[in-house]
Amino acid sequence: MAILLAHSVITQLLTFVLRPTMTYRALELHVPSAMLGALAASFAIAPLVLALPAGRLVDRVGERRVMVGGALLLTASSLAFLELGGTVGGLLAASMLLGTGHLGCVVGQQALVANTTGRERYDTAFGHYTFAAALGQSAGPALIALFGGARAIPDTTAIFAWTSGIAAGLVVLSVLLPGSGHAKAAGARAAGGVRVLLRTPGLGRAVLTSCVVLAAVDITLAYLPALGAERGLSSGTVGAFLTIRGLSSMGSRFFLGRLTAAFGRRAVLVTSTIGAAVALALVAFPLPVWAIGALLAVVGFGLGAGQPLTMSWLAESAPPGSRGQAMSLRLAGNRTGQIVIPSVAGLLAAGTGAGGVLLVSALGLGWAGVAARRLPSGPDA
């Protein structure tokens, strides 16, 4: 389990340093604000098409092989940012490689958690798994602050060079991962797995909540740097904001098992999502730096619970041998949201600025939180 958690940390570190750095490189290239949403959405284009096949592949060949492939693609992405990141086309291509590599790593990780954990411990196991992911999400922006200091735009070339080395280390770690041994048992069930899952009551609402929560995370990654630039904040300050958000997500995930045991899975999901929506809406308004940091802590705590709770719910609903497909189905919904929502946000940014984008994202979060009230209660409610 320790190797898996380390793998999750490094995967998310790479993703959460490369995506904001891509935004800074785009600003260096004088890319207009409306185009930033398209760049953010490019991360999800290939994974949207490949999510379900990736889930079937995990069920058939095992989690480790898919994670090795994902780590190789993350390495290729870092090198592409370094060598091709001087043009918008190069940034788009590198971002698509990043999204595909991230998909291979996370679908393998999530299936491995589901296949090696007892059903009664799903909330705790997925909470700890996503705690590790949040640790990586916090460390990534911290690297930006390290390379940026007081400058408005950090040294993007140095960041891309360092991430190439880190990604190569992830390949080695992937080879050392154990498998669950469930791959051979999945063959006979793989063909009908998705059809069975689609008939599960409440699945649509769970996937909807998951994709809106993840899109809100994407919006903060893409538009907090833009908001900071609009308000004259340094890249170090913005990196600190993103770190606060990630650390707060770690807190909610570490204690997730206790929270759901005390209040129920559905109640925790609804409350956390609506709370994050309110805080994110307030960030859109002109506020002191300390107030923005405090609100982002609330945002992080609320958004941190959404992903592991939907993972637990799907892992519990899926039959053994189909859990890779269950996780990939959720990821397909996430990627749809990552394409549609940031693209719409980019159009809004042209007229409203980064603050308007955050406000609209908050409204979407609030709606998803209300919709989650109709999810099946599950065993913990």
Side-chain angles (χ1 to χ4, degrees):
M1 190 64 174
I3 298 177
L4 173 62
L5 294 179
H7 196 279
S8 176
V9 169
I10 297 174
T11 298
Q12 298 300 332
L13 182 150
L14 288 168
T15 304
F16 274 66
V17 70
L18 286 172
R19 299 192 68 196
T21 303
M22 177 182 68
T23 296
Y24 280 120
R25 174 59 66 87
L27 293 173
E28 286 182 314
L29 299 175
H30 305 292
V31 173
S33 294
M35 186 64 183
L36 294 179
L39 281 172
S42 66
F43 171 81
I45 291 174
L48 175 62
V49 177
L50 297 174
L52 291 177
R56 288 194 292 269
L57 188 63
V58 167
D59 288 332
R60 287 173 178 167
V61 306
E63 303 89 355
R64 180 173 57 188
R65 292 181 181 179
V66 175
M67 283 189 272
V68 169
L72 289 170
L73 287 172
L74 288 178
T75 305
S77 170
S78 297
L79 292 172
F81 276 120
L82 183 63
E83 299 297 329
L84 306 176
T87 65
V88 174
L91 291 177
L92 286 169
S95 179
M96 291 175 69
L97 279 173
L98 177 63
T100 308
H102 179 265
L103 170 70
C105 288
V106 298
V107 73
Q109 292 164 2
Q110 292 169 19
L112 189 58
V113 174
N115 285 327
T116 56
T117 304
R119 298 168 71 92
E120 71 283 354
R121 296 191 65 252
Y122 275 145
D123 289 342
T124 298
F126 279 111
H128 289 169
Y129 162 69
T130 52
F131 172 88
L135 178 59
Q137 292 168 9
S138 301
L143 280 180
I144 297 176
L146 177 65
F147 284 98
R151 292 179 295 178
I153 295 180
D155 186 346
T156 54
T157 299
I159 294 174
F160 291 146
W162 273 93
T163 55
S164 298
I166 295 170
L170 184 65
V171 176
V172 176
L173 193 63
S174 301
V175 174
L176 299 176
L177 279 165
S180 68
H182 282 64
K184 293 182 179 180
R189 289 183 286 256
V194 172
R195 290 192 295 271
V196 171
L197 290 170
L198 288 173
R199 291 197 294 267
T200 304
L203 181 138
R205 291 188 183 89
V207 172
L208 171 66
T209 302
S210 179
C211 80
V212 173
V213 168
L214 188 59
V217 175
D218 278 7
I219 293 296
T220 60
L221 279 174
Y223 283 96
L224 271 179
L227 184 72
E230 289 176 4
R231 298 182 182 178
L233 302 176
S234 71
S235 61
T237 300
V238 174
F241 283 160
L242 293 171
T243 299
I244 288 170
R245 187 209 61 77
L247 289 172
S248 185
S249 291
M250 289 168 61
S252 66
R253 289 167 174 178
F254 187 80
F255 296 106
L256 189 61
R258 297 181 184 179
L259 288 172
T260 56
F263 303 106
R265 185 180 295 164
R266 182 173 56 190
V268 172
L269 180 60
V270 171
T271 303
S272 62
T273 304
I274 294 177
V278 173
L280 187 60
L282 293 174
V283 170
F285 295 96
L287 293 170
V289 170
W290 66 265
I292 295 174
L295 287 169
L296 286 172
V298 176
V299 170
F301 193 91
L303 295 181
Q307 297 303 306
L309 288 177
T310 54
M311 290 178 200
S312 294
W313 190 84
L314 285 174
E316 192 170 74
S317 303
S322 297
R323 288 174 182 144
Q325 292 182 73
M327 296 304 155
S328 66
L329 185 62
R330 174 187 156 275
L331 287 168
N334 287 350
R335 294 301 182 258
T336 301
Q338 285 179 299
I339 291 173
V340 174
I341 296 175
S343 297
V344 173
L347 296 176
L348 290 172
T352 66
V357 173
L358 295 178
L359 184 58
V360 172
S361 179
L363 292 174
L365 264 180
W367 175 68
V370 172
R373 294 174 62 191
R374 300 184 64 186
L375 278 170
S377 58
D380 299 314

